[in-house]
Amino acid sequence: MGSEAQNPDRYSVRAVEERWQRAWESQPLYGAADGVAPKFYCLEMFPYPSGHLHMGHVRVYTIGDLLARFFRMNGYNVLHPMGWDAFGLPAENAAIQAGGHPEAYTRANIAHMKGQMQRLGLSLDWRREVTTCDPEYYRFNQELFLLLYERGLAYRRAAAVNWCPSCQTVLANEQVIEGRCWRCDSVVVKKDLVQWFFRITAYADRLLEGLERLDWPNAIKVQQQNWIGRSEGAVIDFPVPDLGQAVTVFTTRPDTLFGATYLVLAPEHPLVPELARRSPRGEEVLAFADEQRQLSESQRTAETTEKRGVFTGMFARHPFTDEALPIWVANYVLGDYGTGAVMGVPAHDERDFAFAARYGLAVRPVVVAPDSPPPPWTEAYVGPGRLVDSGPFTGMDSEAAKGAIADALAERGLGGRRVTYRMRDWLISRQRYWGTPIPIIHCPQCGTVPVPRSELPVLLPKDVAFTGRGASPLAGATAWRRVTCPACGGPAERETDTMDTFVDSSWYYLRYTSPDETDRLFDPDRARFWMPVDLYVGGKEHAVLHLLYSRFITKVLHDAGLVPVDEPFQRLLAQGMVVHGGAKMSKSKGNVVSPEDIIATYGADAARLFILFAAPYDKDLEWSDQGVEGCYRFLQRVWRLVTAPSPRAGDPAAAERVRRAVARTVKKVTEDVGERRSFNTAVAALMELTNVLTAEQARTESGVMREAATTLVQLLAPFAPFLAEELWHRLGRDGSVHTTRWPTYDPELLREATVEVAVQVNGRVRTRLVVPADAGPSELEALALADERVKGLLDGRPVAKVVAIPGRLVNLVVG
């Protein structure tokens, strides 16, 4: 590439891109105007400022930028902002390792990554930039917390929580992936702590219902549905006489109640200590419970994990038969799912059957199908059927029996119909420094007291020690922690937990609508104009984290009358990963490709074009340096085409072919980008047009070629913005190509003068004819019968029937 500056057939990528980057920074083109319709809010998920963009970032931001530029050129008032998800563990860990401060690390990374984005040519409205670690931003995180607190949606309770021993902090359920920390991959254990939660379960049904109205990939909607996990069934109370209370279970199969032969409690169940205290096997029970509580959920519930348990020595009573059922504690029941207790029905549940087989517990079939074998059964039957040995419900269809048994339980005061959810409330407490302080004061006299809004933000103290061990660094900031209670004036202490950083990202899209607002989270009028986000671009991995939390917070703000919509993102475009050598890029695999290196060698335009061309947006993209080089060569061909001279006079037929090729390309690129989101085929169409124009250039007069080149440059602009801007000015055009209107086309130019049709004889294609494009059936028949090749094929045989389909074929049926 080094000789490109001296070669007239090539342009200097670096010189062109640096020139236009400086020009765009000095005269911003991409500011959105509040209140000007039609609007288009295009947003990519904002990044954590890790220090360097990776190719996954480049793919997300290139796709979003293409669409922002496209809609802007199509007359839309486009809001395309960017910001920084700036709080988080990596900055704090860096401070621990290097002895600095997380803020310094974060600010330096933001500056570097912003420069990378500018070198990519992203058309961002930097006037609306937000940074979540700015007090001007996290003050409103605290306002949001207080709003939820006042509405009964933020609360504090003791809970067995997910604890990452490496990060030394609590993780939400959604942040535990296959038993490991989502960030550092350490094995997660359970730990009892008093924590703050957001009551997301109060919105479970609305979160499910809202999915139906969203233009999102179905796979992501299914992930959210499964995570919310709505289950219809019944709660059943099994009295424990020795305790004077009941074990309550939830089941989706109340029809199998008469098949219950034991009960199982999760090791975390609050009744376990009391049962152990009264049981002669108490020490064994507690030891088993403690052992299991240290294991991750996935370790306990994996299909390959052996079902293990311990009998408590205590019994519960069946609500209908009064039969004594042994109470066990087992590893396959989880404390935070359902009620943390299940009824063991081995005949109709595979896990219960395996557990019963191991410990010799009774298997009692109560639902049978016509082909069910006689007892004893060798496996569980989990399908529908007819009830047997089920008291007054014997003979009923199992589906009808579910409701009948639930209603009978309700009449006895021992349960009834119930809907439950797999989703748990959102645990937001984190025992780290680099996050938003929770605006709560703990007073010995008054209890939990919210910080008055007039005293927000609660700022992070600067003079803290980062050790990476033990409690949050905020717990050691004595002067910051000790305060006066705003309710009684007595001595009190601040909450030392900070908020989960997913709180920061749960509403940032609203802040972009009015980042200059100083008194409220956002200006409701401006939010009303811009919301919802019309197109959101980001990874599938956020399906049950950021995307779910954002939907919840938007609904809360909607209920508070602050936003008119209850869904934040109308359409979601979830891109695939960028892989190298068939594997996801990672430092440990040694297959990372640096965007900076690629830009330095081939330019940002070539990198962008390859990202858009190499694969459909929703599929994984295999990185190829050769592919980027191919896009670089294509852009050099465009340069030569547009800057080369054309003859003053030319062939009218060539000019017609050029005009038709341009019209076809405008139509295809417009539809591929604007409707189908088929970016790779749009790039292919631009390459095909370049081939046509190159082939016809020597035969086409300069005016027609200049018009065609102008359209090509406009079509190329959202894909390769630097080269397009340079060529626009080389063509002598005023202003910026990026503020021009998107090209249109004359539909008449799409009508071909002639078409080729197949000629069949008795259904077999024997030849082809070029005929007028508007030829009707009778004309097609006449043209076919008059053709000398057809006459030879018929060889004098009479034609019994003719089937003519305009534009496609003529079929001659002969005897």
Side-chain angles (χ1 to χ4, degrees):
M1 311 302 164
S3 62
E4 62 187 18
Q6 290 77 39
N7 188 337
D9 291 332
R10 289 186 174 186
Y11 74 100
S12 170
V13 170
R14 177 173 296 180
V16 165
E17 294 189 355
E18 288 180 354
R19 174 163 58 252
W20 290 112
Q21 182 183 328
R22 289 192 300 270
W24 295 336
E25 288 175 17
S26 63
Q27 292 184 328
L29 300 174
Y30 309 117
D34 296 324
V36 178
K39 68 93 176 177
F40 187 80
Y41 189 173
C42 181
L43 185 63
E44 303 92 65
M45 295 180 185
F46 67 168
Y48 174 75
S50 59
H52 297 272
L53 295 180
H54 54 67
M55 280 301 172
H57 288 129
V58 173
R59 192 176 195 192
V60 173
Y61 302 138
T62 297
I63 290 170
D65 192 59
L66 165 69
L67 292 163
R69 290 181 180 278
F70 173 83
F71 279 96
R72 194 179 288 114
M73 292 179 73
N74 275 277
Y76 285 84
N77 175 25
V78 175
L79 174 56
H80 187 213
M82 183 54 67
W84 311 98
D85 193 7
F87 275 138
L89 288 175
E92 189 163 343
N93 290 339
I96 292 168
Q97 294 166 10
H101 194 280
E103 183 167 7
Y105 171 87
T106 301
R107 300 289 180 189
N109 288 351
I110 288 173
H112 183 77
M113 292 176 70
K114 185 173 182 178
Q116 287 183 296
M117 289 184 177
Q118 291 168 332
R119 286 191 290 278
L120 274 172
L122 303 181
S123 60
L124 298 165
D125 186 353
W126 286 109
R127 300 173 308 164
R128 296 176 184 257
E129 180 180 8
V130 299
T131 303
T132 61
C133 67
D134 286 343
E136 295 79 11
Y137 185 90
Y138 72 73
R139 164 195 171 178
F140 295 112
N141 272 353
Q142 294 167 348
E143 290 261 14
L144 180 63
F145 178 94
L146 295 179
L147 174 68
L148 271 75
Y149 183 81
E150 291 160 358
R151 299 178 74 84
L153 297 171
Y155 67 95
R156 190 172 182 251
R157 67 175 172 85
V161 297
N162 303 306
W163 177 262
C164 175
S166 175
C167 297
Q168 289 281 294
T169 194
V170 169
L171 302 175
N173 291 334
E174 297 88 339
Q175 294 168 323
V176 181
I177 311 299
E178 297 182 352
R180 293 180 176 271
C181 174
W182 74 290
R183 187 174 290 283
C184 75
D185 206 38
S186 297
V187 174
V188 173
V189 299
K190 291 290 186 178
K191 187 173 183 178
D192 288 326
L193 288 175
V194 177
Q195 304 287 289
W196 284 97
F197 293 82
F198 283 167
R199 205 181 303 275
I200 191 173
T201 53
Y203 283 75
D205 279 329
R206 289 175 61 186
L207 288 167
L208 280 173
E209 179 275 328
L211 289 170
E212 300 175 5
R213 297 181 273 121
L214 299 179
D215 184 5
W216 286 19
N218 188 61
I220 289 180
K221 292 201 281 189
V222 168
Q223 277 185 271
Q224 289 208 2
Q225 289 167 350
N226 291 341
W227 184 261
I228 296 168
R230 187 179 192 274
S231 298
E232 295 185 6
V235 289
I236 306 172
D237 289 340
F238 292 82
V240 183
D242 289 344
L243 292 184
Q245 56 183 301
V247 172
T248 301
V249 307
F250 170 80
T251 178
T252 59
R253 294 293 306 271
D255 55 311
T256 66
L257 173 56
F258 285 81
T261 59
Y262 63 96
L263 298 184
V264 183
L265 305 184
E268 302 86 0
H269 196 287
L271 284 181
V272 169
E274 182 63 17
L275 288 169
R277 189 178 68 82
R278 294 170 178 262
S279 169
R281 309 181 67 178
E283 290 186 7
E284 182 185 359
V285 171
L286 291 177
F288 177 81
D290 289 343
E291 170 196 302
Q292 295 300 314
R293 282 162 58 87
Q294 299 310 309
L295 301 178
S296 69
E297 178 178 321
S298 62
Q299 288 173 310
R300 282 167 51 183
T301 61
E303 290 186 9
T304 56
T305 299
E306 191 173 33
K307 307 296 182 286
R308 296 179 54 225
V310 61
F311 175 43
T312 65
M314 305 288 283
F315 294 85
R317 294 290 179 177
H318 192 286
F320 283 107
T321 67
D322 204 38
E323 177 186 1
L325 303 178
I327 303 173
W328 288 69
V329 177
N331 62 348
Y332 71 96
V333 179
L334 301 175
D336 60 356
Y337 186 70
T339 64
V342 301
M343 63 179 189
V345 186
H348 303 293
D349 183 276
E350 293 171 351
R351 296 181 311 163
D352 294 345
F353 189 93
F355 189 79
R358 177 180 173 90
Y359 292 103
L361 299 168
V363 178
R364 183 179 301 151
V366 292
V367 177
V368 296
D371 58 351
S372 292
W377 286 3
T378 57
E379 61 181 0
Y381 173 65
V382 299
R386 177 178 54 84
L387 266 62
V388 297
D389 298 328
S390 295
F393 309 100
T394 297
M396 290 187 69
D397 172 79
S398 58
E399 196 63 33
K402 291 179 180 179
I405 290 175
D407 292 342
L409 287 165
E411 291 176 6
R412 291 172 174 238
L414 291 172
R417 298 179 188 243
R418 179 74 59 84
V419 174
T420 66
Y421 302 90
R422 177 180 180 270
M423 178 176 66
R424 303 270 69 89
D425 281 338
W426 176 10
L427 192 160
I428 67 155
S429 287
R430 297 295 178 269
Q431 290 68 46
R432 299 305 293 242
Y433 168 84
W434 195 232
T436 299
I438 293 175
I440 288 292
I441 291 171
H442 300 290
C443 174
Q445 302 301 320
C446 306
T448 299
V449 180
V451 174
R453 282 183 166 80
S454 61
E455 296 180 13
L456 298 181
V458 176
L459 295 170
L460 286 167
K462 299 289 187 180
D463 53 340
V464 295
F466 300 101
T467 65
R469 295 183 301 274
S472 164
L474 292 177
T478 305
W480 175 87
R481 192 181 75 244
R482 292 176 179 171
V483 293
T484 299
C485 174
C488 71
E493 293 197 351
R494 292 194 187 280
E495 171 65 62
T496 58
D497 284 355
T498 54
M499 295 186 208
D500 180 7
T501 55
F502 280 104
V503 176
D504 310 358
S505 59
S506 69
W507 68 281
Y508 79 109
Y509 45 89
L510 287 159
R511 187 64 182 171
Y512 283 139
T513 66
S514 49
D516 54 348
E517 178 64 48
T518 58
D519 297 322
R520 298 169 290 185
L521 283 82
F522 49 84
D523 180 336
D525 291 335
R526 287 191 275 177
R528 186 174 298 109
F529 173 76
W530 286 112
M531 292 297 293
V533 174
D534 296 286
L535 186 67
Y536 199 34
V537 185
K540 304 169 187 175
E541 66 272 18
H542 296 291
V544 293
L545 289 164
H546 163 62
L547 291 172
L548 185 64
Y549 295 153
S550 297
R551 296 183 60 226
F552 163 59
I553 291 299
T554 299
K555 291 180 187 299
V556 172
L557 294 171
H558 172 76
D559 291 352
L562 298 177
V563 290
V565 298
D566 69 348
E567 289 289 347
F569 314 121
Q570 183 56 39
R571 183 168 188 178
L572 177 67
L573 192 155
Q575 85 290 344
M577 292 191 303
V578 180
V579 299
H580 196 197
K584 182 179 179 180
M585 290 187 186
S586 71
K587 291 179 180 178
S588 63
K589 294 186 176 70
N591 65 347
V592 172
V593 176
S594 165
E596 291 179 313
D597 292 345
I598 294 298
I599 291 172
T601 304
Y602 299 107
D605 282 344
R608 290 170 58 113
L609 202 65
F610 172 76
I611 285 285
L612 296 166
F613 178 57
Y617 77 84
D618 57 344
K619 307 297 182 185
D620 287 351
L621 183 155
E622 177 67 41
W623 184 263
S624 166
D625 287 357
Q626 293 78 13
V628 183
E629 186 174 357
C631 290
Y632 168 86
R633 290 198 300 269
F634 164 68
L635 293 174
Q636 294 291 352
R637 288 177 53 223
V638 174
W639 168 269
R640 291 193 293 273
L641 170 69
V642 175
T643 58
S646 298
R648 292 191 176 183
D651 179 2
E656 183 69 7
R657 290 192 295 271
V658 165
R659 291 192 182 97
R660 290 182 181 277
V662 170
R664 287 194 303 271
T665 306
V666 171
K667 181 177 187 296
K668 180 164 180 56
V669 174
T670 302
E671 294 174 353
D672 280 354
V673 176
E675 299 172 18
R676 292 185 284 268
R677 308 294 193 250
S678 182
F679 312 131
N680 58 322
T681 57
V683 174
L686 293 174
M687 292 177 172
E688 183 179 346
L689 177 60
T690 301
N691 291 340
V692 171
L693 297 183
T694 301
E696 300 287 3
Q697 187 169 29
R699 296 185 291 270
T700 306
E701 61 98 1
S702 59
V704 174
M705 280 302 300
R706 177 180 170 81
E707 179 183 338
T710 299
T711 301
L712 172 62
V713 168
Q714 289 177 291
L715 295 177
L716 186 65
F719 299 85
F722 292 107
L723 177 60
E725 191 79 293
E726 178 72 16
L727 291 176
W728 184 255
H729 287 267
R730 294 270 178 162
L731 287 167
R733 303 292 182 173
D734 295 328
S736 171
V737 65
H738 302 295
T739 59
T740 63
R741 291 305 295 263
W742 186 254
T744 58
Y745 61 91
D746 181 355
E748 289 299 315
L749 290 172
L750 302 177
R751 295 170 57 88
E752 299 291 346
T754 59
V755 294
E756 186 179 73
V757 298
V759 178
Q760 299 176 340
V761 177
N762 290 341
R764 293 181 59 191
V765 177
R766 305 303 297 271
T767 188
R768 296 182 182 276
L769 296 177
V770 176
V771 300
D774 57 356
S778 58
E779 186 177 357
L780 285 176
E781 178 181 346
L783 289 169
L785 294 174
D787 185 80
E788 293 299 324
R789 288 169 296 174
V790 174
K791 289 179 181 179
L793 292 168
L794 295 177
D795 194 26
R797 291 176 293 173
V799 176
K801 182 179 179 182
V802 177
V803 177
I805 302 177
R808 291 184 57 194
L809 62 85
V810 180
N811 183 29
L812 306 175
V813 181
V814 299

